[in-house]
Amino acid sequence: MGRRVLLVEDEVNIFEAISFILSREGWDVSGHGNGATALAEVARAQPDVLVLDVMLPGRSGLDILRDLRAQPETAALPVLMLTAKGQSKDRDLALALGANAYLTKPFSNAEMVETLRAVAGGGQQATS
């Protein structure tokens, strides 16, 4: 299982909380907060797994996901979508675009860790 995770999240407090949780579990966490430059950061960081917020400044996480899946070098990158948008149509769209899992804020620490482990391990998991 990969241990490098890139967290694309523009809210500093959420980034810091997730980073703390994942670092404590042994993950090497890096962060990025701008949707417009997120694809370049994925290419630079080459993470084992990506945690991607849906609502970002500059570009939406769904648009970023669509582009990741269209590029051969990132088509298989495990992606956990993270969002405050909990409607089933939003989750269905993210999964249709190729997200491995979809986690709605707020979430528990255990839920984040468990979902990320499943995603990084190659599991397809549609989460709450």
Side-chain angles (χ1 to χ4, degrees), residues 47-61:
D48 297 309
V49 64
L50 177 65
V51 177
L52 181 60
D53 190 10
V54 171
M55 295 181 287
L56 293 164
R59 191 147 192 247
S60 90

Side-chain angles (χ1 to χ4, degrees), residues 16-27 107 109 112-113:
E16 288 177 354
I18 294 172
S19 181
F20 176 76
I21 294 163
L22 297 180
S23 295
R24 193 176 62 198
E25 293 291 324
W27 291 89
F107 48 82
N109 294 358
M112 167 56 76
V113 170

Side-chain angles (χ1 to χ4, degrees), residues 26-50:
W27 291 89
D28 177 14
V29 182
S30 60
H32 192 74
N34 188 330
T37 55
L39 286 173
E41 183 60 16
V42 169
R44 187 199 67 75
Q46 297 188 347
D48 297 309
V49 64
L50 177 65

Side-chain angles (χ1 to χ4, degrees), residues 51-78:
V51 177
L52 181 60
D53 190 10
V54 171
M55 295 181 287
L56 293 164
R59 191 147 192 247
S60 90
L62 295 173
D63 289 338
I64 294 164
L65 177 62
R66 185 178 289 117
D67 286 352
L68 289 169
R69 293 304 183 233
Q71 299 174 5
E73 54 278 355
T74 55
L77 176 66

Side-chain angles (χ1 to χ4, degrees), residues 69-122:
R69 293 304 183 233
Q71 299 174 5
E73 54 278 355
T74 55
L77 176 66
V79 177
L80 165 58
M81 297 300 294
L82 185 64
T83 185
K85 299 175 81 174
Q87 296 180 345
S88 62
K89 67 178 178 133
D90 298 318
R91 180 177 53 246
D92 292 346
L93 177 58
L95 295 173
L97 290 173
N100 298 81
Y102 190 91
L103 195 58
T104 305
K105 301 172 191 174
F107 48 82
S108 71
N109 294 358
E111 189 176 21
M112 167 56 76
V113 170
E114 178 183 317
T115 304
L116 191 60
R117 279 186 186 148
V119 168

